[in-house]
Amino acid sequence: MTELPFDTVAGCLVPDALGRKVRLRGWLLRSRSSGGILFLRLRDRTGSIQVTGRRDALGDEAFDRAEHVQAEGTVAVEGTVAEDRRAPEGREVRAEAIRVVDAGLPFPVFADQTEEFRLDHRHLVIRSQDHAATFRLKAELLRAFREFLDREEVLETTPPILSGNAAEGGAEAFEIDYFGRRGFLSQTAQLYLEALLAPHERVYALTPSFRAEKSRTPRHLTEYLHLEVELAWCDLDGLLDFVERMIASAVHAVAERRPKELAQLGRPPEELLAIRTPFPRLTYASAIEKLASLGLPVTWGSDLGTAEERALTLEERQPLFVTHFPRELKAFYMRRSPTDPRTAEAADLLGPEGYGEIVGASCRETDLDSLVERIRAMGGNVADYEWYLDLRRHGNVPHAGFGIGVERVLRWMLRREHIRETTPFPRTPARLTP
Ligand code: 4AD
Ligand code: MG
C-alpha cells in the first residue's frame, strides 16, 4: 500500500468526493462492531471520519484482525466515500480492505483521570482534539508573528542559550556547571540582540528562555518560548506603537485563519478580531491610583503582582500598557525617564480579561555610568558585562526592544486557565518529564 499516494480525511469531505475511491491511513479514535459490521472512527492530520467494514466485504480474517485494533492503534483503509445521514459529517468511507499497521495495546488515557496522571502521560494526552487544536493555533501564531516581522524588515537572528551572564537578575537564573565555570541558561536574548543591532538595526530572535521561578502559578513556566525584538533609533512611543501593531496583526491573522480551532477551544474569533490599536496606556502612578480605588492599595515602589494586574484588566476587552515603572523594580538595562528620573522608560503589556503581563518592553539605557551603577546595585559583577558595556563605547544609538511570552499570549487568546495547556511538554518546578 505504500507505493501509491494516500488521500486525507478532509479530501473525503469535499462535495465532489461522494462515490470516490479513497485510500486513508491513520489512528483510531474508537471502534466497535455489531451485526457483522465494523464502525471505526479514523483520524489523520486533517480530521476524522467514520469508516465501516462489512464482514462479507473484508473477509473473516481481515475483519477479525481489524476488530482487535485498540483506540490509537493504526490502520490503512481502501474504500469508497458514501453518504451516511447518521454520521456528523453526513459521510462515511465503506471499506473494501483494512490493513492493520499496529493494533496497539489498550490506550491508558481516557476521560476523568487526575491531572497528575494526565501530566505523567502527556506524551499520549497531546493526541487529544483540544491539544491538537492548541498546537496548530500556536504554529499559526508564530507564523503570523514572523510574517509581521518580515514585513517590517526585522532580521531573524540566532543568539546563544548558554551564557556567562544572568541578564534579567541572578535569583531566577538556572545556573549550570560549564566545564568548571559558572554559566547560566538564557533568561533573555536581549543583550545579544543589542549587539546584533549595530550591523542590522532591527533584529529579532525566537528562543526558549529559562526562569528558575519556584512559584507555582498558572502563568509561569520554567522554560518558555520568548520572541524578542530590538529596534535601533526607537523611542518609547515608537516602541509601544510597534508592539501593539505586532500583537493586533498576529491575533487577527490567527482569528482569520483558524476560526474553527478557536471556537472549539471556547474563544469566539470575533472577540479577537475586535482587538484594536492603539491600546490604552496607563502610567504606573495612575495604575496604583486606580488600584487604590478598587480597594487594592499599592505603595509607590512596590511591584504589581498577579492580583493587581488582574484587577486592572478584568473588565478590559483590549490589552493595556502600564508604563513608567519605578526604576528599582526593573532590570538594569532600562533607560531612566528624562521627564521623571524616579521611573524607567519601560512598559508591560497586560492581556485583557485579567490575564496579566504578556509583553515586557523598554527603552535601553545608553549612558555608560548609569549602566555600571545599576549593574553594581543589582549585585552584578561589572567585569562580566564588559562586552555589553563596549556596545555603549562604539556607536551607541537610542534603541528599544521587547520580549513576548508566546505561551502567555496564547493562554489569553485561548482562554486557558493554566499556561501549561499552551505547550506540549510543560516545564514547571514539579515537572521535568515526560
Ligand atoms: O518581562 P521579561 O522578564 O523581559 C525580558 O526578559 C526582556 N529582556 C525582554 C526584552 O526586552 N527583550 O520577560 C518578557 C516576557 C514577559 O512579558 C512574559 O510574557 C514572558 O516573557 N515571561 C514568561 N512566560 C512564561 N513563564 C515565565 N516564567 C515567564 N517569565 C516571563
Ligand atoms: Mg516583565
Side-chain angles (χ1 to χ4, degrees), residues 36-160:
I37 307 179
L38 261 177
F39 297 89
L40 312 177
R41 186 90 202 164
L42 181 94
R43 179 192 80 229
D44 69 8
R45 69 181 193 282
T46 67
S48 72
I49 193 165
Q50 174 167 288
V51 174
T52 55
R54 306 183 73 89
R55 186 178 277 280
D56 50 13
L58 301 177
D60 283 335
E61 204 187 319
F63 186 94
D64 292 343
R65 234 180 286 129
E67 203 178 16
H68 288 100
V69 180
Q70 302 287 337
E72 293 301 317
T74 39
V75 298
V77 171
E78 275 183 33
T80 307
V81 181
E83 208 166 7
D84 175 25
R85 271 190 233 99
R86 284 156 306 176
E89 303 81 13
R91 296 275 172 91
E92 66 172 14
V93 171
R94 302 217 171 114
E96 283 123 41
I98 299 179
R99 181 166 65 85
V100 176
V101 179
D102 175 23
L105 297 174
F107 198 60
V109 176
F110 35 88
D112 302 327
Q113 286 164 323
T114 65
E115 191 55 28
E116 213 43 35
F117 181 93
R118 293 176 62 81
L119 287 167
D120 285 339
H121 293 81
R122 189 74 169 186
H123 49 293
L124 300 176
V125 165
I126 47 171
R127 298 183 189 190
S128 82
Q129 314 256 41
D130 280 1
H131 285 105
T134 299
F135 302 129
R136 282 184 190 150
L137 284 157
K138 191 173 191 176
E140 202 66 70
L141 178 65
L142 291 174
R143 186 200 336 223
F145 278 142
R146 281 200 164 103
E147 285 171 354
F148 176 87
L149 291 164
D150 260 1
R151 287 199 298 273
E152 297 286 326
E153 295 178 37
V154 184
L155 188 79
E156 178 160 18
T157 61
T158 59

Side-chain angles (χ1 to χ4, degrees), residues 30 306 319 362:
R30 52 183 176 269
T306 306
S362 69

